[in-house]
Amino acid sequence: MSFTRYKVCLQFIVTFAVLACVPTLYFLNEHAKIDKRALQTVEQNNIHKLEYAKAELQVSIDQIITAASSLSNNGLLHQAILNPTQENLENVSYLWLLVAKTQGVYSQLRFIDSQGMEKIRVNTSELRSEIVAPYDLQYKGDRKYFAYAQSLKRNQVGTYGIDLESERGQIVYPLTLGYRVIVPIELGGKRQGYFVANLDLKRIYKSLAYKRNTNNLPTIFSGNGYYILPNDGTRILGNIIDEHKEYSLSKQYPSLWRRIQLTNSGTVKEGDSWFSFIKTDITHTSTKEPLIFVLESDLSDIRPIADEERSELNTQAVFLLIIIALITFSFVTWNYNHEKNSMASKIARAAMNGMSAVVITDHNNRIIQVNEQFTKSSGYTLDQVKGKQPTVFSSGRHNQEFYMNMWKALETKGIWEGEVVNKRRDGSLITEILRIQTVTDKQGTIQFYVASFIDISHRKELEDQLRELSEKDPLSGLWNRRKFDTEIVSHSQRIKRYPDSEHVSLALIDIDHFKRVNDKYGHDIGDKVIGEVAQTLSTHLRETDIIARIGGEEFAIIMPHTSLDEAEVVVNRLRIAVNIESDLNITVSGGVTDICSKPGDSYKRADIALYESKTLGRNQVNVMASAEANSIA
């Protein structure tokens, strides 16, 4: 007896070692690759953030230039130029002050006459905005940008910079970047002067952060490698400020600088950090010197990704080793019994008394035998199903193509394995891991089909519950950003495949002045407001609509089979419903667009439309169609 136990244990150890050898080598190899894959993931994420910042900067510059052209052609300005009374000049000043406060992208708005003298000037910043008094207006005829302005042709919009702002011949401290949009103004066949808009690059820079997270802000360098917009706002323009000349890519990060000279984008390791970069040009600029966007990552960015992958890989390894152990145990047990019993009796016991439910059918696929586990799992006894085909268990969850592929595999390979949803006797559904094998005679003709399955219904229910929990926002009860991203990608793919038949709209809704609610009533009331808005949206939308909370007070709605005009009506109805059902007079703003084949473009259009609603006074809905975006582009 002792010898037999020793033999069985030794057989188990040897069999387990042989079966586990190849998987073990695989997992060791995968562990060695984890850091490299994590670095690739961080690099891809950084390049994506840099591409976002690059596109966002270009869009902002284009919008500002368009706005500057409109301001230069404004009738109030022309009237003030031709008839510079105090009233006319004040009207223009107040208009510019309103525009500067609303748009938040200017540091100065000025009209300079053809001799270089400021006639109207508005200064603005995040903290203060003012109309400059006439006695404080300055002569700018000796500035280089004025000479550049004089070279502009009629109706030509020019830009000048990037340099440092100066007042009365002295550089302004703290150091302020200067970038100007200049439009010549000609009235009555004569050049009257120039409209000059100085951009507040620091405020524009803050809008470049991916998902509005300041940690995603890149450092921006000039084409010759000097700081323009660093995160800390210091060390800028070493090519102009002698004290800053040591702060440049070539001197601080020589490896990165060498790589930048060779390619337009990439990632370089310098010291203990990785630097991802991308080069671009600001269009409309007076020079072709590129800008360089750089984003730094260190081990703290890579380690969580690597740790998560290691954890997942370890889980898979443990799970696989358990399976191998079970297979080994089954084999050793089978071999032990084989020595005591004939092959026929061993097969019969293994098939009919095992843990799996077993169904045996004849060559006409009619049931001839089942085991006790089958009865426990399905509720059917042998007498109730004998002579019938297994189609009596069909749940209707699988189409004809599914069963055709199953029979094709049985005919060609003699075996089929897969996951199947069937129906128990009481009508409830059972999810099975099903394995079907054919038994043939010496001529290869199929005589029997042996099907065995394991009930995994409980495990599937747990998986579905966990999946829903991972995709639900706990505060609002709506879907979260992860679920939204999955859904918009799915709809975009369908639209890409069926562009003429799919009509899906996207809406972004943001609670107006939500910070005031938190500040005035507290965060508990703020959370309650979010829940009430979520409830209103859910109540007034269809079950087929996807509603998600994707930010603090921001919601997204995907409306299948809905045109853009219908979506606008729906969102306006939601806007009104939110206000009516709110005890705190809550209002929302919305942006609507049609979903195209590119989910990122669809989201950006909706975000632009939402921003326009906010800019125009809130409590309204604006629409930006994909066709409109394409025409602008």
Side-chain angles (χ1 to χ4, degrees):
M1 186 69 179
S2 176
F3 176 77
T4 302
R5 290 179 180 176
Y6 172 79
K7 181 180 177 181
V8 170
C9 291
L10 181 61
Q11 190 178 53
F12 180 89
I13 293 171
V14 172
T15 305
F16 180 83
V18 171
L19 293 178
C21 180
V22 173
T24 300
L25 292 176
Y26 166 77
F27 283 112
L28 289 175
N29 184 54
E30 288 299 304
H31 264 285
K33 297 178 181 178
I34 284 177
D35 286 336
K36 183 178 179 180
R37 286 199 296 265
L39 177 58
Q40 290 173 344
T41 300
V42 171
E43 179 180 0
Q44 291 171 358
N45 290 340
N46 285 348
I47 292 296
H48 179 69
K49 294 172 185 177
L50 292 173
E51 289 285 359
Y52 174 86
K54 169 185 171 182
E56 194 69 21
L57 177 62
Q58 187 60 64
V59 168
S60 298
I61 294 298
D62 290 343
Q63 291 176 343
I64 290 168
I65 288 175
T66 301
S69 298
S70 299
L71 289 174
S72 67
N73 291 317
N74 183 269
L76 288 176
L77 176 59
H78 291 178
Q79 183 178 354
I81 293 172
L82 297 175
N83 185 20
T85 64
Q86 182 178 355
E87 180 181 0
N88 288 341
L89 294 174
E90 287 180 350
N91 289 338
V92 175
S93 298
Y94 286 124
L95 172 63
W96 286 2
L97 192 64
L98 178 61
V99 169
K101 288 182 177 180
T102 302
Q103 297 188 3
V105 294
Y106 304 109
S107 61
Q108 296 177 10
L109 293 174
R110 297 177 289 169
F111 171 69
I112 302 175
D113 66 18
S114 58
Q115 304 304 313
M117 188 65 196
E118 292 179 338
K119 293 299 182 181
I120 309 173
R121 174 169 171 173
V122 170
N123 294 337
T124 182
S125 66
E126 289 183 298
L127 302 177
R128 181 183 179 188
S129 298
E130 64 177 358
I131 299 172
V132 178
Y135 57 80
D136 274 338
L137 297 174
Q138 303 175 37
Y139 174 71
K140 299 295 182 179
D142 56 349
R143 297 295 300 277
K144 290 181 181 180
Y145 69 79
F146 184 76
Y148 166 74
Q150 291 177 311
S151 69
L152 295 175
K153 298 178 181 180
R154 178 186 177 91
N155 296 326
Q156 180 183 0
V157 179
T159 60
Y160 190 89
I162 300 170
D163 58 11
L164 291 171
E165 291 283 10
S166 62
E167 296 288 355
R168 307 188 188 282
Q170 299 295 322
I171 293 178
V172 174
Y173 284 90
L175 296 176
T176 304
L177 292 172
Y179 185 77
R180 306 163 189 85
V181 178
I182 304 174
V183 185
I185 299 176
E186 298 193 11
L187 299 173
K190 179 182 178 182
R191 180 163 292 192
Q192 302 292 333
Y194 307 91
F195 172 77
V196 181
N198 290 39
L199 306 190
D200 190 336
L201 292 180
K202 286 188 177 180
R203 279 197 278 179
I204 296 174
Y205 172 66
K206 293 178 181 178
S207 70
L208 306 184
Y210 180 68
K211 293 184 178 179
R212 301 297 185 266
N213 185 345
T214 56
N215 292 328
N216 294 330
L217 274 174
T219 300
I220 300 179
F221 296 86
S222 64
N224 52 10
Y226 289 100
Y227 287 88
I228 293 178
L229 287 167
N231 274 320
D232 57 9
T234 62
R235 306 171 296 178
I236 63 174
L237 295 182
N239 55 328
I240 298 176
I241 305 297
D242 288 339
E243 293 85 350
H244 296 171
K245 64 182 179 180
E246 295 299 321
Y247 298 109
S248 68
L249 288 173
S250 62
K251 295 182 179 180
Q252 291 181 286
Y253 310 107
S255 298
L256 173 61
W257 179 242
R258 285 193 295 270
R259 180 68 179 278
I260 290 173
Q261 306 306 302
L262 300 175
T263 183
N264 288 327
S265 64
T267 298
V268 175
K269 186 176 186 297
E270 185 92 42
D272 292 331
S273 298
W274 284 264
F275 295 88
S276 298
F277 69 89
I278 190 170
K279 294 195 294 189
T280 185
D281 294 313
I282 298 180
T283 58
H284 302 285
T285 186
S286 59
T287 66
K288 292 300 181 181
E289 181 180 23
L291 295 180
I292 304 169
F293 291 63
V294 178
L295 200 59
E296 180 181 359
S297 299
D298 56 26
L299 289 174
S300 63
D301 298 313
I302 297 173
R303 188 174 293 110
I305 299 175
D307 290 346
E308 181 180 356
E309 189 168 353
R310 283 194 183 91
S311 176
E312 183 177 350
L313 195 62
N314 290 336
T315 302
Q316 293 174 358
V318 170
F319 183 72
L320 183 58
L321 290 176
I322 291 174
I323 292 177
I324 292 174
L326 292 174
I327 293 173
T328 303
F329 178 79
S330 299
F331 172 76
V332 172
T333 302
W334 177 87
N335 193 56
Y336 174 76
N337 291 330
H338 176 70
E339 295 177 354
K340 298 192 303 180
N341 305 288
S342 67
M343 179 68 72
S345 62
K346 188 285 280 181
I347 293 175
R349 284 196 301 272
M352 301 307 295
N353 298 322
M355 295 177 62
S356 300
V358 177
V359 180
I360 301 176
T361 63
D362 62 16
H363 65 280
N364 292 320
N365 200 31
R366 297 189 180 277
I367 299 173
I368 60 175
Q369 187 61 268
V370 300
N371 68 351
E372 292 181 2
Q373 187 61 40
F374 169 83
T375 300
K376 291 178 182 179
S377 298
S378 68
Y380 288 101
T381 64
L382 176 61
D383 292 338
Q384 292 168 335
V385 296
K386 191 172 184 178
K388 298 180 181 180
Q389 293 189 335
T391 53
V392 297
F393 313 131
S394 176
S395 65
R397 289 290 186 92
H398 306 288
N399 55 28
Q400 186 177 4
E401 183 181 2
F402 176 84
Y403 292 106
M404 289 176 63
N405 291 333
M406 176 191 293
W407 283 108
K408 184 177 180 180
L410 289 172
E411 291 173 0
T412 58
K413 301 178 181 179
I415 187 171
W416 181 90
E417 292 179 301
E419 184 176 306
V420 178
V421 178
N422 279 328
K423 185 171 60 176
R424 296 186 179 93
R425 185 187 178 199
D426 61 5
S428 62
L429 299 181
I430 175 175
T431 304
E432 309 165 352
I433 296 295
L434 175 64
R435 176 188 177 94
I436 306 176
Q437 287 181 281
T438 60
V439 178
T440 61
D441 58 17
K442 294 180 179 180
Q443 288 73 38
T445 303
I446 297 175
Q447 298 298 318
F448 301 97
Y449 297 92
V450 180
S452 61
F453 66 86
I454 298 175
D455 183 359
I456 60 168
S457 302
H458 182 63
R459 191 183 79 185
K460 293 293 291 185
E461 290 175 1
L462 291 177
E463 289 177 355
D464 292 340
Q465 291 173 6
L466 289 173
R467 186 182 301 108
E468 181 170 343
L469 286 174
S470 70
E471 295 176 340
K472 281 288 187 178
D473 173 52
L475 178 59
S476 64
L478 303 177
W479 297 116
N480 60 17
R481 182 59 182 257
R482 176 182 177 185
K483 175 69 172 179
F484 167 74
D485 289 340
T486 301
E487 289 293 332
I488 193 172
V489 168
S490 175
H491 284 287
S492 296
Q493 289 173 344
R494 278 198 291 272
I495 288 172
K496 185 177 182 179
R497 186 173 182 182
Y498 309 107
D500 298 325
S501 60
E502 288 286 338
H503 298 283
V504 186
S505 294
L506 169 65
L508 296 182
I509 293 179
D510 190 88
I511 302 175
D512 295 330
H513 301 301
F514 185 70
K515 185 176 183 302
R516 296 181 183 175
V517 175
N518 278 334
D519 292 345
K520 184 175 181 180
Y521 300 101
H523 288 277
D524 53 339
I525 299 299
D527 291 346
K528 183 179 179 182
V529 168
I530 289 176
E532 290 174 348
V533 171
Q535 180 62 39
T536 300
L537 298 180
S538 300
T539 301
H540 291 272
L541 286 169
R542 303 169 299 183
E543 291 184 358
T544 55
D545 296 330
I546 305 298
I547 319 168
R549 179 182 175 223
I550 60 174
E553 66 270 21
E554 189 172 2
F555 302 85
I557 305 171
I558 298 175
M559 293 170 276
H561 311 295
T562 306
S563 67
L564 202 53
D565 291 338
E566 293 170 335
E568 183 180 8
V569 172
V570 171
V571 177
N572 268 305
R573 188 174 71 233
L574 294 174
R575 177 181 61 81
I576 295 171
V578 167
N579 184 248
I580 291 176
E581 296 176 15
S582 171
D583 295 333
L584 301 178
N585 196 30
I586 296 297
T587 63
V588 296
S589 299
V592 182
T593 189
D594 52 320
I595 294 180
C596 65
S597 61
K598 297 181 179 180
D601 292 351
S602 303
Y603 183 89
K604 190 168 186 178
R605 288 196 307 276
D607 195 39
I608 291 172
L610 174 60
Y611 176 78
E612 185 175 358
S613 297
K614 293 288 189 179
T615 303
L616 295 176
R618 295 181 170 83
N619 194 20
Q620 57 184 280
V621 176
N622 277 278
V623 178
M624 186 175 190
S626 58
E628 179 183 354
N630 292 335
S631 65
I632 293 175

